[in-house]
Amino acid sequence: MALKTAEEYLESLSKLRPVVYLFGQKVESVLDHPIIRPSINSVARTYELAHDPLHRDLMTARSNITGEIVNRFTHLHQSTEDLIKKVKMLRLLGQKTGSCFQRCVGMDAINAVDSVTFEMDQELGTEYHKRFRSYLRYVQENDLTVDGAMTDPKGNRSLRPSQQADPDLYLHVVEKKSNGIVVRGAKAHQTGALSSHEILVMPTIAMREDDADYAVSFAVPADTEGIIYVYGRQSCDTRKLEGGCIDVGNARYGGHEALVIFDNVFVPWERVFMCGEYSYAGLLVERFAGYHRQSYGGCKVGVGDVLIGAAALIAEFNGVEKASHIREKIIEMIHLNETLYACGIACSSQGYPTTSGTYLIDLLLANVCKQNVTRFPYEIARLAEDIAGGLLVTAPSEKDLFHPEIGPYVQKYLKGVEGVPTEHRLRVLRLIEGLTLGTHAVGYRTESMHGAGSPQAQRIMISRQANLEHKKALARFLAGIDEEKI
Amino acid sequence: MALKTAEEYLESLSKLRPVVYLFGQKVESVLDHPIIRPSINSVARTYELAHDPLHRDLMTARSNITGEIVNRFTHLHQSTEDLIKKVKMLRLLGQKTGSCFQRCVGMDAINAVDSVTFEMDQELGTEYHKRFRSYLRYVQENDLTVDGAMTDPKGNRSLRPSQQADPDLYLHVVEKKSNGIVVRGAKAHQTGALSSHEILVMPTIAMREDDADYAVSFAVPADTEGIIYVYGRQSCDTRKLEGGCIDVGNARYGGHEALVIFDNVFVPWERVFMCGEYSYAGLLVERFAGYHRQSYGGCKVGVGDVLIGAAALIAEFNGVEKASHIREKIIEMIHLNETLYACGIACSSQGYPTTSGTYLIDLLLANVCKQNVTRFPYEIARLAEDIAGGLLVTAPSEKDLFHPEIGPYVQKYLKGVEGVPTEHRLRVLRLIEGLTLGTHAVGYRTESMHGAGSPQAQRIMISRQANLEHKKALARFLAGIDEEKI
Amino acid sequence: MALKTAEEYLESLSKLRPVVYLFGQKVESVLDHPIIRPSINSVARTYELAHDPLHRDLMTARSNITGEIVNRFTHLHQSTEDLIKKVKMLRLLGQKTGSCFQRCVGMDAINAVDSVTFEMDQELGTEYHKRFRSYLRYVQENDLTVDGAMTDPKGNRSLRPSQQADPDLYLHVVEKKSNGIVVRGAKAHQTGALSSHEILVMPTIAMREDDADYAVSFAVPADTEGIIYVYGRQSCDTRKLEGGCIDVGNARYGGHEALVIFDNVFVPWERVFMCGEYSYAGLLVERFAGYHRQSYGGCKVGVGDVLIGAAALIAEFNGVEKASHIREKIIEMIHLNETLYACGIACSSQGYPTTSGTYLIDLLLANVCKQNVTRFPYEIARLAEDIAGGLLVTAPSEKDLFHPEIGPYVQKYLKGVEGVPTEHRLRVLRLIEGLTLGTHAVGYRTESMHGAGSPQAQRIMISRQANLEHKKALARFLAGIDEEKI
Amino acid sequence: MALKTAEEYLESLSKLRPVVYLFGQKVESVLDHPIIRPSINSVARTYELAHDPLHRDLMTARSNITGEIVNRFTHLHQSTEDLIKKVKMLRLLGQKTGSCFQRCVGMDAINAVDSVTFEMDQELGTEYHKRFRSYLRYVQENDLTVDGAMTDPKGNRSLRPSQQADPDLYLHVVEKKSNGIVVRGAKAHQTGALSSHEILVMPTIAMREDDADYAVSFAVPADTEGIIYVYGRQSCDTRKLEGGCIDVGNARYGGHEALVIFDNVFVPWERVFMCGEYSYAGLLVERFAGYHRQSYGGCKVGVGDVLIGAAALIAEFNGVEKASHIREKIIEMIHLNETLYACGIACSSQGYPTTSGTYLIDLLLANVCKQNVTRFPYEIARLAEDIAGGLLVTAPSEKDLFHPEIGPYVQKYLKGVEGVPTEHRLRVLRLIEGLTLGTHAVGYRTESMHGAGSPQAQRIMISRQANLEHKKALARFLAGIDEEKI
């Protein structure tokens, strides 16, 4: 059976020995670190729910490679139905974790690499796709979590990879050997890097001939020699070290990003999926980005559901849930959130098969989806702060709440409606604070902005995909300038 | 063969003898009236394109009633694929006409009446559904255009039907006879009333027992005795009387609304589909409104394509198409337009069968769709006005353009870039003016606001459909207040 | 006494003999033309209210030139108080006319030309300012309305004046004579051209040496030989020809724009205020645009007051004025409208004297003011359409309302709440239609967009005026990079 | 000389002995607590800059009470010029501290209490104003910082003070003695409570007779017996305990809020300014709120300047400062920020004297100002996050940056353009993080939302102040329904 349990996942992860730095210290065990652990819990839920009869239909699929039931996160989309189920699965997990659960980057990477390697092989006579499918079988059979690693540090953004003062600011091949390649560079903002078994590296932008060394894709185990992780700090991260369970907001789950440094890492040829074919770099970026922009129409909607629920709760706890302006604000939050979902569903529904058989989303609509994600979660968060009231940012710490002397005062004066404990009110406020200002705001706000490409990247794709010439022809006909064209 | 040609449609329409008033005059022939004709041309395209091999797949469907190929506008949706094709068909027609082509109200009405009558019969033992299906067979076999008539004048909106000072401000049954019923009242804002063969009347709001006489649904030929049409005037309507072809903007196509008065109209029982079953009035409204809110995710997107194309053209004609702020504005227009489309597709993709077998859209997403339609076309129009420049509203008339003395001056001074005739520039400006301020703005702006229900109606539905309790439970779990619920 | 009455204004205007074309016909008398007259009525109000004791303080000022009380529209601002009163006067007139009352372009032009000619003379030893002050004395003493004419047709917007295929696409000097100059070209979108006694021409953009012939400013009587006016047609303009008083919306007042062609017009030297001093063209544009961008923080706010009032009225007539969503929408309209006013007041309050003694507004805030005007009136109009309901664009004509046969039906079925005649309801709807789609929408919407420069022009000015270096220094200090600078 | 230096301020503050809890611990010295100290530094700047010749004109004023030069924060506004200078002073301090500098609540409180007590005395024959002026003289002569304390905890927001289950949820008089009163209750969200010498308490809402005990205003020294402070925790507050200077963002300055509990506090009569005059509670709230809503048009604009500067800097450090979309985003940030400033200036410019001689702002425009502040800083912050890039939330800690082993990697891979140290890049990112997610986001975002009253409070005031009847009369006249009214 290919489906790991949550426990098996944790067990397997505990066997890895990655080199990790956090706050200037080497981390001995990622599972035991209170700052890191919540994000591993989020990934664990992707394993746990796959065994839940209620969610199995969304969480798993029958593999076209192994013929077995696999976790959908390791699955190649075989239909628009698969694409839609992906979005629903991500919304479900967003609801269950209120966090970034990280595993979609790997899913999006394998789907993108699959069709691109197929097309490369067809045109160039390479054998990347065969290698990749063999690798993917291994991933599916072992139900692995894969970090899909695309974003390079980029240095001066106005310069191309080969023009940078430091050639390592984009990851590149530094040596080709008979048995493999050696690479150097880094991948920044790597979501879920420390929750993953594997890293699947892809190039980060379209490239020209000069940049051929930078056109490289491969997979390695997460604790391969030469890989170093530097954990990205988040707003309010150290609240997880305080030992409480309220001020941290969502205490169970979280997400993380890391800087992943490849310091002369060796990759055997059987794990190399692109090496110098610069003309395919752009296509791979476009497809991975497309899948990942679709993803945001699921996961962020699920987190949005949590924030909407929290806003509705705090309105009740404050005694204002029937005020018409409060109701209108909650409707607006729902409306915006469901608009994002509609975009996620639509780009999936309009998907189509690539030549490898793997389904691709509608790229125009997937970019439209993500573009809205760079806007609406901010407005949803603003409305949540409006509904929550100022106590969101002025409430005393939980240590004060439970303090023998000051505690009773805090309990007394921060009480809302009768029947709701002050503690519950503070819990909901801290949940909202976490999502709008704290650790979870990293995932809900800034990641909504920059994950899967910054807003301008989507706008460029929207411009390319929109067929403006057709629209101009429509206008010319109706304005009486030209005869009708098809 | 059930598919009429455009010519056959016009021929069949010319045989009707409705009583029509326009500008205080009785209209002898709606087909020959220059103000009315463009909207009939729009409907004619729904017939014409059904014969076009390129568009046949979208424009037609195999009827589940007759087994024949019918125009999709007369079809009961049998799958989510049907629902999606509907949206694509509407976008296509919006592109082809740049107008409201009116025929969707009938399509939305027949689909709504079908499932509701089925459920009424199941519960109440009535036989409305059988009657309705028989009627629908007639519509399909004759490829008729049906005006789906819902909106009553409503008088004082804070009062219910039976509370109004004048009982006729909502349409109601005034007499029940052995062979049928007599109704009195009116339906306002009837889109395409004069382009239609039939009127299918539905109640306009949820009702209580006191309002039972107002819970009435039926169909009658458009020229039934006692029906009087008063044509709604539109911005710039009389430009169509001026004899030119430029100032009118989109000279070929248009849309219209009429006030339709039922002055003691007799309806035979076989055409009565609801008569007093007040508890089903709300359901019928909800479903018709739902389908119609889906529709706007297609038709207005198509018109938006025309406006985007026109904006891109005028930018070229002005020599500014490469300015980055112009490009960004066009991308924004596309983004907003495609967001509407995504909502139309999503609510279709997530549709499901009712007990009659007819597919319903996802109601939450359909309402979200329409809510966005009450906003984005206004912003798209604003951006189009921005790109167009002030000449949009200060250009001289086409009579000046072609005047022997002043014409050469106008030609000279209103020239844009070399190679584009001044006339073309003015044609595009007039097309944009029509869509943002003129006759076509009625359909693109105000109808986007109020058609299929005003914005607040959608917000109420969004609130009802959103399952806020579930969201609150998610938040309670993650805040650490409760254990997880499903 | 320098203050003309409204009657004297009309009398004086009737003595002019401009060459005017409208709809391909020569206009014999602008005062008697039903399409043109309402805009002259608007200007007449600027004379009438100057005699009204209630408004005299805003409408007049003591001239620094003549020492007499003059109409404020001919006054040079002598203090920030004058600048603020200007804004208040414009709001008052917007309220009183619901229209563009046109006379501010002249006021803004004289203030701009005054300080720029002073500075030119100081640097270059020219005597333009003396000439100009002499001209302005004449304007004040005769209480003239001046068309401040800036915008050239511009042809290909990516080319400079001297690069155009047709050299006349920017107005320029074609001959210099001993007694004056001869100019050729045109000014487009000339607000109030036919309501004016005089035209004060200014260059339209910053210029380089090659464009020296285009750097020209002068004044001529409006009916000078060689000047030809082509009247710009507006949405719904011909409703004014229909003979009614309802469908036209605001029947009393209006605004207009015309294309003004200068076909070899002679200007005597004493009326020439710039002739070849290309380096001052940009400064003149910046100041005129600045004053005019301030103006929009007054006039459009006044029109906004009318539209808000109309929206509140129709809500009452529909019986929905107490619905919370209606109240919130009206509050939002007020909020947006007052934000515009705040910007108009602020840029006035922060004004300062130029070297000529004439006060200039704060340019940054004036540009911010206008930038908001390119946005908020559109949203206010959208909200008005929302509140009005669909009848706004589907109501029958007034000829139907008063028709012996169909009239009673229209009266009956379009009734709103008891006690309000159907006619009143339609009057308010037509007023709103006029402001959002009809003739008055030209002034309220599109002119808000493009008048005083299109949005991007303000953005460029905002960028220039914002002192970004100072903001960066603030950030560097607080980030701990640098020591504090002043 | 009434002007304390910053050192004298710190010295005077150190002499107070307030009872303060933070993280469950009693704070011995607020000046020495690393979490609290930055906010005291912000207040210290209000003293320091009053001695700076460059800023003296804004920072000080001549007292109408003492005739001496006093810090403007203790001054009663004597003119619109004073009101405008207040806004400019607040902008300056926002720029200098990038924080909430807290002292304006006292300034706004003294100005509000001054005119309201004057009017109370006039009507009721009380002597509150005299007492208050005597108190204010003491404040001015000692250059004290005053916490203006208005907001009660409020419990169930749908109930009035006297209806609450716990009568102490609004602060009230529990005993009247010959020499003074005893009060119990709390004030929540008290900005700058621990940086202040004095607390000036005011009621929090309009009241009815039943609530008379809650209509109480008075002043007490900040360390009066019975007062207990519970410090409000902020996002990222504990970064200030980490010992670094980068991750904390703005290391020098900050703001704070505290819950201030009045546990049977005695107030002598000479410091009581309202005691039972419930009909004046609403007026006092309206005026304090009005002044404080004006304040936000200054202070948040100054902080906005810092954020805009930081965004411009990071764009340079990333090498994208010339990209047109980046430039447009920075222009948009400036535009929004200056719109807020315009509102602050406008409501000041249109101020007017109350009967006490103290100037009040225009209340409508002040509420419009604050309403915009509840929106635009969120959008400015969103744009800053957009420009900053994802590194904003994924960058390693400063301990990693300076770590002997991992530091060089971080230095290498997080380098932007040549010539800018990685450290500088991270400093700017942390400054932006602080303002958008961290401790300073509390002041810039959530306080912009809820400070001086939540958004709905402003909307109610906007509705009340807008004179809708006048607008309706304007519309009735122009629609041809009524004759013109004044």
Side-chain angles (χ1 to χ4, degrees), chain A residues 21 24 166 168 189 233 242 247 263 318 374 378 382 385-386 394 400 405 409 412 437 445 450, chain D residues 21 24 157 168 189 233 242 247 263 318 374 378 382 385-386 394 400 405 409 412 437 445 450:
Chain A
Y21 284 85
D166 178 345
D168 300 341
H189 326 303
R233 85 170 302 179
E242 294 177 5
D247 289 1
D263 197 23
N318 291 345
T374 67
Y378 284 81
R382 192 184 75 87
E385 289 183 45
D386 182 348
T394 69
D400 296 305
E405 284 160 45
Y409 287 101
K412 172 186 174 76
L437 294 162
R445 285 173 52 204
H450 292 292
Chain D
Y21 283 87
R157 272 133 188 81
D168 301 340
H189 325 304
R233 83 171 303 180
E242 293 177 7
D247 289 0
D263 196 23
N318 290 345
T374 68
Y378 284 82
R382 193 185 73 87
E385 289 182 45
D386 182 349
T394 70
D400 296 304
E405 283 159 45
Y409 287 102
K412 171 187 175 75
L437 294 162
R445 286 175 50 205
H450 291 291

Side-chain angles (χ1 to χ4, degrees), chain A residues 165-178:
Chain A
D166 178 345
D168 300 341
L169 286 171
Y170 286 73
L171 188 147
H172 59 121
V173 179
V174 290
E175 191 181 354
K176 290 188 195 177
K177 299 185 169 184
S178 59

